[in-house]
Amino acid sequence: MIYIEELTKIYPSKYGDVKALDGINIHVKKNDIFGVIGLSGAGKSTLLKCINMLETPTSGSITIDGIEMTTLTPGELKETRKKIGMIFQHFNLLSSRSVRGNIAFPLEIDGVDKKRIDKRVDELLSLVGLTDKAQSFPSQLSGGQKQRVGIARALANNPKVLLCDEATSALDPQTTLSILDLLRDINKKLGITIVLITHDMNVIKQICQNVAVIDNSKVVEQGSILEIFSNPKTKTARDFIKSVSFSEIPDELQKKIDKLELDSSEGIVIKIGFVGKITAKPIISTLVKKFDVDANILYGNIDYIQDTPFGTLIIELKGNNGRTGKALEYLEELGVSVDVIRGSEHMEHH
Amino acid sequence: MQIANLLIEPTVETLYMVFTATIFATVFGIPLGILLMVTDKGQILQNLPINRIFGTIVNVLRSIPFIILLFLLIPFTRLLVGKAIGTTASIVPLSIAAVPFMARLTETALREVDKGIIEAAQSMGASPIQIIKKVLIPESLPSIVSGITITIINLVGYSAMAGAMGGGGLGDLAVRYGYQRFKLDIMLYTVIVLVVIVQLIQAVGDFIVKQISKNR
């Protein structure tokens, strides 16, 4: 659906060039809800604006549904943009127009006749649940309502793609959830591919299927949300996950584990991460019974990412004569991810 | 009663000069202001050479004191209306002074429109002309109307100056009777009429602005 290849954006300045984006490669599948997360200044907003050419890339290519965006003429670009909706952090509604007028705006731009505009606006108002606010003006609406108008406006021309620029960052947590629900509905009902950028990992956790982590103008990690949550490879990703989930070891606990006196040469501390159905299995009691090891649970957590359970356990295993080693092998056979955090020299994985 | 009779004609002349010049100022000044805004750096129709040329013309015209502009424009006025003195002739320098003034006020008003809203319109595939017509002007309309009000009030002051130079109107009356014949009461009444005119214009302008921005 959307292919971004080797995208680079350089802002020239008196004090030397500033690289806002550096060789970005991203592939967004059709019907996906794709999240880009990064701290402010990481380049994610520039990235999003390059997708509909509000920012002109310095080099690289962007194709949407087979259309190469970077080589379009201004006229072609205008037509292509009509099929790419966009919503904004600060909503960007026209204060001079009512809710109805704001939603009608893109249709007027497209030269749709008045009767069809009215009909389409009615549909959109009911889609976003604002039928009773049609005559209100933006200044009379709450933040959540404003964003609903923004969404209705973005959907007016039946776009194939919806770009969300920090769409929930100006909203309170509860309103954020209701807007995210609406976006998920739109994605399912209308089959619109959504690309959103955010600095809030909770947004990613709530609705995204795939995610790219962007740091210092580069994509440092990319994959399905479960992959990223269960096996983050970079510190940036781990820090984001820590902000919304307890699947990463809290710093206090890490200190305790480092100081822990292991009782025998084969005592180990492991971190187990498991995803999906396996969370329902009695892994620990099986370990204890089958391998005659002692298991001391130091930390445990089960979280949900959308509908998938996703758990983390940190346990200290005690045993000798190779029993802890066998227990480890068994865990790996089960297909859970196992990390040895502390252990005797010869067993340590890292 | 005699004084009232004396005041009516000059008042009509002043209003005629001011409102005719306002029409010219609006018709030419607002488009010029839009041009200055949209061709500036980073704007929707960036064109720096055009921006510099018109910006310089506006600055030059605005830096000439009105009283000097009156003299400078005599040949041009004569070319346009056939004479350089009189109420109709005064409209030429009044308009030429008001156009750049109105242009700068319009430019400032348009700059107040949130960049995000312009970006949103661009993201929907709006052309620059559509952005001007459907975004920039409606969004800044209250400020533009305030700008027109300020321009009219400025023109009332300028028209008194033009009047004193032989253009008729209240300024002419005040100078001829108040200054040359030392009739202070007439000068005073002239001032009162001017104050009332300015108050009325301001009140009407404020009312229109309030109506437009009722829901914003």
Side-chain angles (χ1 to χ4, degrees), chain A residues 30-176:
Chain A
K30 199 169 165 53
N31 294 342
D32 198 0
I33 303 184
F34 191 97
V36 177
I37 188 161
L39 296 171
S40 44
K44 56 190 189 302
S45 195
T46 310
L47 171 62
L48 195 74
K49 285 177 185 172
C50 281
I51 296 179
N52 64 357
M53 295 283 122
L54 283 177
E55 292 278 358
T56 316
T58 309
S59 66
S61 121
I62 297 158
T63 56
I64 301 177
D65 244 2
I67 298 171
E68 172 62 58
M69 298 295 290
T70 52
T71 54
L72 294 178
T73 64
E76 290 167 339
L77 181 59
K78 264 189 299 181
E79 290 312 306
T80 311
R81 277 174 174 168
K82 288 174 185 170
K83 292 290 167 202
I84 307 171
M86 188 169 192
I87 57 172
F88 305 86
Q89 179 175 6
H90 298 297
F91 325 119
N92 295 348
L93 302 178
L94 291 154
S95 65
S96 54
R97 287 177 173 232
S98 66
V99 168
R100 175 171 285 280
N102 267 286
I103 301 173
F105 183 78
L107 298 163
E108 286 175 26
I109 296 284
D110 199 28
V112 179
D113 67 70
K114 182 106 184 40
K115 256 193 186 156
R116 280 176 53 206
I117 289 181
D118 283 345
K119 193 165 162 273
R120 180 77 182 129
V121 172
D122 286 335
E123 286 168 20
L124 290 159
L125 281 167
S126 92
L127 177 73
V128 300
L130 285 178
T131 305
D132 56 327
K133 297 280 178 196
Q135 303 308 327
S136 301
F137 278 74
S139 64
Q140 299 156 344
L141 302 179
S142 69
Q145 289 169 332
K146 283 181 196 167
Q147 196 57 289
R148 282 170 189 272
V149 178
I151 292 170
R153 180 176 71 172
L155 297 178
N157 276 322
N158 296 306
K160 290 175 282 187
V161 179
L162 179 65
L163 307 176
C164 308
D165 187 357
E166 297 273 10
T168 56
S169 298
L171 304 174
D172 62 64
Q174 223 161 350
T175 313
T176 296

Side-chain angles (χ1 to χ4, degrees), chain A residues 6-12 17-24 43 46-47 50 54-60 217:
Chain A
E6 289 303 317
L7 180 68
T8 297
K9 172 75 184 176
I10 295 167
Y11 291 106
D17 294 349
V18 180
K19 239 183 198 178
L21 296 173
D22 188 0
I24 303 278
T46 310
L47 171 62
C50 281
L54 283 177
E55 292 278 358
T56 316
T58 309
S59 66
S217 316

Side-chain angles (χ1 to χ4, degrees), chain B residues 79-149:
Chain B
L79 194 78
L80 231 56
V81 286
K83 52 186 179 179
I85 287 178
T87 313
T88 304
S90 303
I91 291 166
V92 176
L94 284 174
S95 303
I96 287 177
V99 167
F101 186 69
M102 188 68 230
R104 282 291 182 214
L105 289 177
T106 305
E107 185 196 356
T108 313
L110 297 180
R111 277 186 201 284
E112 280 166 26
V113 177
D114 189 344
K115 262 204 116 167
I117 297 179
I118 300 169
E119 206 168 67
Q122 285 177 314
S123 81
M124 290 176 234
S127 67
I129 297 295
Q130 285 173 323
I131 292 175
I132 291 169
K133 269 171 43 185
K134 289 177 182 287
V135 178
L136 290 178
I137 294 177
E139 285 294 299
S140 59
L141 198 58
S143 302
I144 290 175
V145 172
S146 295
I148 295 174
T149 311

Side-chain angles (χ1 to χ4, degrees), chain B residues 69 129 191:
Chain B
L69 195 69
I129 297 295
V191 171

